């Protein structure tokens, strides 16, 4: 027996390995099933830090994350805004969930994407939490039965407190503070410095409210721009305080808004002061807050997102309920030509992919941008019109924190525009900057220059514009502004006089933009998705593809452009360009499962051999970027 065993030692070893691997696989599978089981009477635990919730996850550098982690930095999970809002909407109708405990502590701050949420994004999250609170109070028999607790060691900024204030109870560590000081904006001016360096700036703006050029041509804002900025800040600040007052009215006193106006004049506040003024409900440590819900089940919100998404998908497959599909394309940051995450070519590619996808019924363009290049904006605007006019798929534009200038330029012909009350929008105007390096500049740095031209010297920054060249320069800017105003009038069904009354470079809140007709509806990305789905349903009904009385409640969201093939992501990551994201890691996991089960055809599909790994898919006018703190 020993001899036979020794002779077959290879087979026996492989058999033991196979048995162990199988047992280990099923053991871990069972553990995962247990972890994915949501117990009754559960409180969702939600960790919130700057960068943990984003519009769309741009940090795709998996290898870079690993390198940073080896240096002691362990990045926290990043969730998109639409995923978080969707999870909260699922949770409000989930009988297993009875509350939310949110942790804003800075000790959690390990996200690689440091950009925090803006006021409009916070408003969307607050709305989702409010809807959760109302639904649970009705289902459980009163608000006192709902556990909505926010905790932090200290609030880093007032936007964090803005979100926390919507919870029923807000607790902070005794040594913490709340920087509740109202909204502000700081504008630096460079005219004097440029003059000392021997640099002059030829600046043109259309019209008087367009403030992008003022930091380079003035030492303070002109009266019209100063008043417009102050009115914007005043309106946003009023909305901020009104929302906090509504949530904290039980503890702020008989006139909560007036009290908050007083408090922002003397903030920030230490822990004891914040409690005394009614900004928080108590001074506790995290372990003390944990005791409040220790009798409840606990489930992480990020984990709940994944589990509930699978449950929802399985439910739709089982019940075979009809669904509408809405494609989302993101335009974040400055609008520019070319590729990259949010270049015009990438945005157009996303719109075209969504329009050509036979399963997509409508498209949402999510914009969080202060503007940018006019040519790039025109390219994206044309793609929207093509999607609607040629492909017959409605496009709804959803404004994030900011959608002004170029951000509004691309939106004029959309089926509808949705914005939050605190979205910075408008700025229908054009500005151009052309620096001129004087001989004094080159004398200062010890360089002499000589140029030769066979034609115009317009593009030379060593020559100022004069005479006919200056007249032509101004005429081009006038034409661009007139085109902008005409686009708004045509797309928004307004007269030129109506547009001019709100144009001229004015910036305003989404709430004010709704009043003047620049926005169709107040709401966030989830409302825009619902609206787009309804428009898509109408198109099918009008075409006779669906009964006129049919209603569809379920909406499936797809993000475009589609992720690159995983092989391309790996190659790009090794070259230090773009790295493997969660999609690529999922591909690797799927490949190993295919190999384990012997599914060779599936393995070939996972590798991507059936698809191409690589796809080919006048001067610039800058449109301002508005920042509010």
């Amino acid at each position: 027996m020993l001899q036979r065993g020794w002779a077959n030692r290879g087979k026996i070893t492989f058999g033991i390995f196979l048995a162990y691997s199988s047992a280990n696989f099923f053991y871990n599978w069972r553990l995962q099933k247990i972890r994915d089981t949501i117990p009754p009477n559960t409180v969702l635990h939600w960790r919130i830090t700057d960068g943990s919730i984003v519009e769309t996850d741009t940090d795709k550098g998996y290898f870079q994350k690993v390198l940073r982690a080896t240096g002691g930095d362990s990045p926290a999970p990043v969730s998109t805004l639409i995923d978080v809002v969707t999870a909260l909407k699922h949770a409000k109708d989930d009988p297993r969930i009875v509350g939310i405990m949110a942790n804003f502590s800075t000790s959690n701050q390990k996200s690689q994407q440091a950009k925090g949420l803006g006021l409009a994004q916070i408003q969307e999250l607050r709305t989702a939490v409010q809807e959760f609170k109302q639904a649970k109070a009705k289902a459980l028999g009163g608000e006192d039965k709902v556990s909505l607790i926010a905790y932090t060691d200290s609030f880093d900024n007032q936007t964090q407190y803005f979100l926390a204030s919507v919870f029923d109870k807000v607790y902070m560590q005794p040594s913490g503070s709340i920087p509740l000081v109202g909204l502000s904006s700081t504008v630096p001016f460079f005219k004097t410095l440029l003059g000392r360096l021997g640099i002059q700036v030829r600046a043109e703006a259309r019209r008087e409210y367009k403030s992008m050029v003022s930091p380079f041509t003035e030492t303070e804002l002109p009266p019209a721009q100063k008043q417009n900025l102050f009115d914007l800040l005043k309106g946003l600040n009023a909305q901020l305080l009104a929302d906090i007052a509504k949530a904290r009215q039980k503890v702020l006193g008989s006139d909560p808004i007036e009290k908050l106006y007083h408090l922002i004049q003397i903030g920030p506040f230490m822990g004891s002061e914040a409690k005394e003024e009614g900004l928080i409900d108590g001074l506790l440590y995290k372990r003390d807050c944990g005791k409040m819900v220790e009798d409840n089940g606990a489930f992480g919100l990020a984990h709940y997102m994944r589990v509930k998404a699978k449950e929802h998908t399985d439910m739709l497959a089982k019940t075979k309920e009809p669904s509408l599909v809405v494609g989302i394309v993101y335009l974040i940051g400055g609008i520019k030509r070319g590729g990259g995450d949010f270049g015009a070519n990438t945005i157009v590619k996303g719109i075209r992919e969504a329009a050509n996808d036979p399963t997509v019924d409508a498209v949402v363009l999510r914009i969080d941008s202060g503007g940018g290049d006019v040519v790039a904006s025109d390219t994206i605007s044309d793609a929207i019109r093509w999607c609607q006019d040629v492909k017959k798929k409605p496009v709804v534009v959803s404004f994030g924190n900011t959608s002004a200038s170029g951000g509004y330029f691309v939106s004029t012909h959309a089926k509808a525009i949705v914005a939050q009350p605190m979205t910075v929008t408008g700025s229908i105007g054009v500005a151009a900057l052309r620096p001129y390096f004087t001989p004094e500049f080159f004398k200062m740095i010890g360089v002499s220059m000589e140029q030769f031209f066979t034609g115009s010297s317009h593009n030379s920054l060593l020559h100022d514009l004069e005479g006919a060249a200056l007249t032509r320069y101004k005429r081009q800017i006038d034409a661009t502004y007139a085109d902008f105003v005409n686009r708004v009038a045509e797309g928004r069904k307004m007269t030129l006089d109506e547009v001019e009354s709100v144009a001229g470079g004015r910036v305003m809140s989404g709430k004010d933009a709704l009043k003047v007709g620049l926005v169709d509806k107040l709401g966030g990305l989830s409302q825009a998705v619902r609206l787009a789905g309804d428009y898509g349903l109408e198109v099918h009904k009008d075409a006779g593809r669906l009964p006129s009385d049919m209603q569809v409640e379920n909406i499936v969201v797809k993000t475009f452009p589609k992720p690159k093939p995983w092989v391309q992501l790996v190659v790009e990551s090794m070259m230090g360009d773009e790295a493997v994201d969660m999609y690529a890691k999922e591909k690797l996991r799927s490949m190993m499962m295919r190999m384990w089960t012997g599914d060779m055809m599936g393995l070939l599909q996972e590798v991507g051999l059936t698809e191409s790994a690589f796809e080919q898919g006048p001067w610039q006018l800058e449109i301002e970027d508005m920042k509010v703190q």
Side-chain angles (χ1 to χ4, degrees), residues 16-27:
I16 294 173
F17 169 77
L18 186 61
Y20 172 79
S21 299
S22 300
N24 188 59
F25 172 82
F26 286 110
Y27 173 75

Side-chain angles (χ1 to χ4, degrees), residues 186-229:
T186 302
V187 183
F189 296 89
F190 306 101
K191 179 181 178 181
T192 303
L193 173 62
L194 293 175
R196 290 174 179 172
L197 295 175
I199 303 173
Q200 297 180 7
V201 175
R202 174 67 67 183
E204 296 291 337
R206 303 294 183 274
R207 297 238 196 280
E208 68 272 19
Y209 295 97
K210 197 68 178 177
S211 61
M212 191 271 283
V213 301
S214 295
F216 303 95
T217 61
E218 310 287 343
T219 56
E220 63 178 28
L221 287 177
Q225 296 173 15
K226 188 176 297 185
Q227 187 62 49
N228 184 220
L229 177 56

Side-chain angles (χ1 to χ4, degrees), residues 489-506:
E490 181 183 87
R492 302 298 302 167
K493 305 297 188 293
M494 301 168 68
T495 65
L496 290 177
D497 289 340
E498 289 174 333
V499 177
E500 281 288 359
S501 69
V502 295
R506 291 178 180 86

Side-chain angles (χ1 to χ4, degrees), residues 335 367 369-371 377 381 397 399 402-413 417 425-428 484 487-488 491-492 494 499 513 516-520 623:
I335 301 174
I367 302 177
S369 170
S377 301
S381 177
V397 172
F399 288 169
T402 303
S403 190
S405 297
Y408 197 85
F409 187 100
V410 305
S411 312
T412 56
H413 285 70
I417 299 176
T425 188
S427 195
I428 301 170
F484 198 165
R487 285 170 184 263
V488 176
R492 302 298 302 167
M494 301 168 68
V499 177
V516 299
L518 295 181
V519 166
D520 297 290
I623 304 179

Side-chain angles (χ1 to χ4, degrees), residues 273-437:
E273 296 174 315
K275 184 179 184 303
E276 182 179 343
E277 298 291 354
L279 296 176
I280 61 176
D281 297 284
L283 300 172
L284 301 174
Y285 291 93
K286 182 181 177 181
R287 55 184 171 82
D288 300 315
C289 292
K291 292 178 181 179
M292 297 179 184
V293 293
E294 62 183 359
D295 295 332
N296 297 90
F299 215 82
L301 182 64
H303 189 189
Y304 180 79
M305 286 183 210
R306 297 190 296 271
V307 173
K308 190 60 184 178
K310 186 177 185 306
E311 288 182 354
H312 187 64
T313 301
D314 292 344
M315 182 272 293
L316 293 179
K318 184 177 180 180
T319 60
K320 299 189 183 302
E321 290 186 34
S323 298
L324 294 165
V325 179
V326 173
I328 299 182
V329 181
Y330 288 92
L331 172 54
I332 311 296
I335 301 174
K336 58 185 183 298
R337 300 181 224 178
D341 284 335
F342 305 111
N345 291 353
T346 303
I347 306 305
V348 170
K349 179 184 178 184
I351 295 173
R352 286 187 169 273
E353 282 186 4
N356 289 321
D357 189 328
T359 67
V360 172
D361 303 295
V363 178
V364 168
L365 178 62
R366 174 67 166 183
I367 302 177
D368 191 359
S369 170
D373 183 75
V374 168
V375 175
S377 301
D378 188 23
T379 301
I380 298 170
S381 177
D382 176 69
I384 292 175
R385 284 179 286 182
W386 169 84
C387 182
Q388 295 187 132
D389 298 340
V390 178
K391 305 303 291 186
K392 307 302 180 185
K393 293 187 179 182
V395 178
V396 172
V397 172
S398 172
F399 288 169
N401 294 306
T402 303
S403 190
S405 297
Y408 197 85
F409 187 100
V410 305
S411 312
T412 56
H413 285 70
K415 179 73 173 178
I417 299 176
V418 180
Q420 287 285 8
M422 299 182 78
T423 298
V424 178
T425 188
S427 195
I428 301 170
V430 178
L433 286 171
R434 185 185 185 278
Y436 161 48
F437 293 87

Side-chain angles (χ1 to χ4, degrees), residues 220-256:
E220 63 178 28
L221 287 177
Q225 296 173 15
K226 188 176 297 185
Q227 187 62 49
N228 184 220
L229 177 56
F230 180 75
D231 289 343
L232 173 67
L233 290 174
K234 184 178 178 181
L236 294 177
N237 193 67
Q239 183 71 52
L240 172 76
L241 299 185
D243 287 352
I244 295 175
K246 183 178 179 181
R248 303 284 304 169
Q249 57 185 344
K250 292 181 181 179
V251 290
L252 283 174
S254 58
D255 194 346

Side-chain angles (χ1 to χ4, degrees), residues 39 41-45 296-300:
N41 201 38
T42 287
V43 171
L44 295 177
H45 286 225
N296 297 90
F299 215 82

